[in-house]
Amino acid sequence: MKGRILITGYNGELGSKTLKELVSIGKSVIALDINDPKEKIHSVKYIKDTIANKQLINSIFNDYHISEVYHFAALLSQTAAQNPELAFEINEKASKNLIDCSYNFGIKNNCITRFFFPSSIAVYGPRKIENASEQDIIKPTTIYGNNKLIIEQYGSKLHEQSLFKKIGLDFRSIRFPGVISYDTVPCGGTTDYAPQMINNAKKGEKFECKLSPNTELPFIGIDKTISSIIDIMDLEIIESKLRAFNVQEANFSVTELSDFLLQKFPSFQITYNENKSFQSVADTWPSSLNCKRANKFWNFSKEKDFEVFLEKIINK
Ligand code: AKB
């Protein structure tokens, strides 16, 4: 039977573009979000509810043959820091339930449910390192980072159990850096300063930055973000006990970004008003990522020059 795909958080930056890509390649999608769709696609079944509604999640798996899950519903780092209880409910409890339902569906139907989980560079810490590889120190200091790590570990555990049974769950995860889109300006994240600054520079508006000038972080463009999600989920099998993969296209400091934008938009004005909540988080996240494993498994390649990367972003 042709399986259906379940996407949670389809209104978000990653969910909305993944939904469009999956529909474009002929997938039959059930899309769950707490808000109404910003634009409706005829073939998609939309459900407006929270992923915390366990009864709803159970009914989706009872009513449909769910072959793949793309789980984007989450609170980002700064929102999670301000709402720790809600972050636990959504980023951990509801996410675990979704993984359980996916696993149990596979066991009950003698099949494998493929599960994509967008993890984050937030799992790294407690100190800032360069060229972080997936095996590097994983002691997150933020609520969000702990949420993400707990779900990575939970999904990997059920994946391990499924390997032995050859039915259940195939859990796959990418540790995303800051994502930069052309048409959406995210908020609620620590890395959102970059898309926000680019957006303001393009609109001729000044920008007040919450991070210090020398703060360096890794980033990826939305196109490469979506293609990485599709690529990792397209792999028939991933022969790796470690189920999380790093991706980045470029890494740069706040100053490197602002200097680049000043060259392109000479009237652009940036001021600094360091925010402890943002800076303390950014100081524990890696300044750059080693993406060798993603390159090995699905030929992921990162941009060599951050200015080439930024040129592509601002010219879209
Ligand atoms: C955030 O800044 O919270 C996210 C992330 C890097 O996970 N963009």
Side-chain angles (χ1 to χ4, degrees), residues 73-76 80 86-93 95 144 147 151:
L75 280 70
L76 293 182
L86 185 60
F88 173 72
E89 284 300 315
I90 300 299
N91 291 0
E92 283 189 38
K93 214 170 135 190
S95 298
Y144 174 71
N147 296 159
I151 297 304

Side-chain angles (χ1 to χ4, degrees), residues 76-78 119-122 144 176-179 188-192 285:
L76 293 182
S77 57
Q78 293 300 321
S119 186
S120 161
I121 55 172
Y144 174 71
F176 285 113
V179 175
T190 305
T191 59
D192 296 344
W285 290 0

